[in-house]
Amino acid sequence: MNCYLSHLQWIGQRQEQMVNLLIQWAETNSGSRNMAGLQEMGALVAEEFSVLKCRVETVDLPPQETVRLSGERIVWPLGKAIRATRTLQGKPRVFLCIHMDTVYSKDHSFQKCVRRDENLLQGPGVADAKGGLVVMLTALRALERSPWWEELSWEVLITPDEEIGSPGSAPLLREAAARNDFGLIFEPCLPDGSLVSSRKGSGNFVALFHGKAAHAGRSPELGRNAINAMARFIVQLNELADPSGKIAINVGKVQGGGPVNIVPDMAACAFNIRVTEPDAQAACERNLQKLSRDMNDLDGISMELQGTFTRPSKPFEGKTAEFMEQVLTCARELDMSVQYQPSGGASEGNNLHAAGLPVVDSLGVRGGNLHSSDEYMHSDSLVERARLTALVLMKIAAREIR
């Protein structure tokens, strides 16, 4: 261990610079739908990574096709991913990944960072996940200063669409999983510093219902009420949830109808499903198709189901569990008291695990209140997590982690 410690000391001197870089990045709005902001953020990130001895490039993502609750089909442009690579033949290969998009739109009120005290920074994306991006960069810079720099091949992917399910970058994740040996994702760790073990899978869906309009007073029998059909569907949908927690369903938005003296001929609902294992996902997919067929058998009602599972579940098993134990060993060597716990949230680590890559996906900062105007992170965790990541990278390079 002593042979590594001296090469980690540099990170401990970088906290203020790391905080300042994080503030610059967090105050650059990069909401998932803000193309101009994502372009500006991507340029800033590419400039920082270009300091490393690596190849930096942008990767165009295909647009996202989706449907609104009104039934309107739309095509959303997606930002460009940033990829940095250093390829050394015959060396261990590590894939490092995190997103630069946030949930905060360009017109959201939460745009500035505030230092609440010397160790607490509040701001948009400081924890999820621009703090993790700073951690990743700093760890690679520390590796470059070490004797193990020439012993590791690595690939970085910084995505612009994680917060909307990675519709464009999912193929890039699968490709990266196939050509690397280890995966590191820099989502925030849990507030107590624990790493995430298992993650639930996640899917977003829209159900569109078409009926027949009629006068609600003079001839209601000629109509077919789309809202009633949707209500029936929602009741049956919620019955698919598993009380044990294997399947969780949330109908988050509904729309339909108009003047109350007209039988509504259009209704729609949007919902999210979370699953803990592949079998639960398969069961949900089968049951959703059956529900759709049943609704279409109703007299005068037609239903269209849009959506899919974008994040497979990430069970804590196999090589991922073995890799996690080796990362925890590194943490103990740094006198960090780190455990692991499951999380209901999903990440790009779900996709990598499903593609067969051993992955630890919560090496980012300690923070909390994610996706809210109270999001914060602890400044000292920038150094803490960068030291842990750098040690993991050095040990992989030295073949101590296999």
Side-chain angles (χ1 to χ4, degrees):
M1 175 59 190
N2 291 336
C3 65
Y4 299 109
L5 281 179
S6 61
H7 300 288
L8 301 176
Q9 291 176 353
W10 173 81
I11 297 175
Q13 304 164 7
R14 301 286 302 174
Q15 180 169 316
E16 189 61 22
Q17 291 93 329
M18 294 169 76
V19 170
N20 289 335
L21 180 59
L22 176 55
I23 291 173
Q24 179 192 20
W25 284 353
E27 292 187 347
T28 301
N29 182 276
S30 54
S32 304
R33 301 299 187 193
N34 180 6
M35 296 301 103
L38 285 167
Q39 184 174 358
E40 181 182 359
M41 179 67 190
L44 292 172
V45 170
E47 180 181 3
E48 292 292 335
F49 274 84
S50 66
V51 175
L52 298 170
K53 298 181 179 70
C54 65
R55 177 189 178 193
V56 180
E57 60 184 328
T58 59
V59 183
D60 291 323
L61 300 186
Q64 179 192 16
E65 297 183 12
T66 185
V67 61
R68 288 185 168 140
L69 292 188
S70 64
E72 177 190 4
R73 299 182 185 279
I74 55 175
V75 177
W76 290 103
L78 297 174
K80 296 182 178 183
I82 307 295
R83 183 157 55 200
T85 52
R86 179 172 170 81
T87 304
L88 301 173
Q89 296 299 321
K91 305 300 182 182
R93 297 161 299 180
V94 180
F95 179 59
L96 305 94
C97 181
I98 194 56
H99 60 95
M100 60 180 169
D101 64 319
T102 72
V103 300
Y104 307 102
S105 63
K106 62 182 179 181
D107 55 357
H108 196 283
S109 60
F110 192 39
Q111 300 288 345
K112 293 294 184 180
C113 294
V114 177
R115 293 196 187 200
R116 294 301 181 188
D117 59 42
E118 63 181 14
N119 196 41
L120 195 148
L121 178 68
Q122 184 177 335
V126 291
D128 186 17
K130 293 179 179 180
L133 184 52
V134 173
V135 167
M136 176 204 290
L137 172 65
T138 305
L140 286 171
R141 291 187 64 187
L143 175 69
E144 188 177 59
R145 298 166 60 91
S146 79
W148 297 279
W149 176 246
E150 298 290 345
E151 301 301 319
L152 190 67
S153 182
W154 54 262
E155 175 182 353
V156 164
L157 184 68
I158 302 163
T159 60
D161 61 341
E162 191 275 342
E163 293 290 6
I164 53 175
S166 304
S169 58
L172 302 180
L173 296 172
R174 288 194 296 270
E175 293 165 7
R179 59 177 172 255
N180 286 281
D181 303 314
F182 300 90
L184 302 175
I185 303 291
F186 293 85
E187 289 287 342
C189 59
L190 298 176
D192 67 353
S194 296
L195 299 175
V196 172
S197 54
S198 61
R199 288 187 182 273
K200 291 183 178 180
S202 177
N204 294 320
F205 302 85
V206 172
L208 302 169
F209 302 85
H210 299 276
K212 183 179 179 182
H215 193 291
R218 178 175 294 183
S219 52
E221 72 281 358
L222 299 180
R224 296 295 181 267
N225 192 308
I227 290 179
N228 287 352
M230 178 180 67
R232 178 173 176 173
F233 171 83
I234 290 173
V235 170
Q236 295 176 346
L237 175 68
N238 283 318
E239 290 174 353
L240 301 181
D242 185 342
S244 70
K246 288 184 179 180
I247 301 173
I249 298 174
N250 181 61
V251 179
K253 191 172 184 180
V254 297
Q255 180 175 307
V260 294
N261 62 348
I262 299 176
V263 175
D265 63 352
M266 175 70 183
C269 64
F271 57 97
N272 174 262
I273 302 180
R274 302 282 170 134
V275 295
T276 59
E277 56 190 40
D279 287 348
Q281 177 178 324
C284 276
E285 290 169 335
R286 289 193 303 270
N287 288 326
L288 283 174
Q289 291 304 316
K290 182 179 184 303
L291 275 180
S292 182
R293 290 193 299 270
D294 291 346
M295 297 306 299
N296 280 295
D297 286 340
L298 296 176
D299 178 33
I301 295 293
S302 65
M303 174 192 157
E304 182 182 358
L305 184 65
Q306 298 283 337
T308 186
F309 282 91
T310 57
R311 304 282 193 213
S313 59
K314 176 178 171 277
F316 190 53
E317 61 185 14
K319 292 183 179 180
T320 286
E322 294 174 11
F323 185 27
M324 173 72 83
E325 292 297 340
Q326 295 184 82
V327 171
L328 291 184
T329 297
C330 292
R332 288 191 289 270
E333 291 175 354
L334 295 173
D335 295 323
M336 294 170 58
S337 179
V338 177
Q339 306 297 322
Y340 54 77
Q341 300 178 40
S343 172
S347 81
E348 290 157 324
N350 293 56
N351 303 69
L352 295 175
H353 179 86
L357 185 68
V359 59
V360 173
D361 67 354
S362 47
L363 286 165
V365 295
R366 285 182 286 108
N369 295 336
L370 310 182
H371 295 192
S372 81
S373 298
D374 297 316
E375 182 176 347
Y376 71 90
M377 57 79 62
H378 295 289
S379 300
D380 60 356
S381 66
L382 289 164
V383 169
E384 172 189 286
R385 301 289 150 158
R387 293 180 77 236
L388 175 58
T389 301
L391 180 56
V392 170
L393 292 174
M394 292 174 188
K395 286 198 168 192
I396 292 174
R399 315 294 175 96
E400 288 190 35
I401 295 178
R402 295 183 178 273

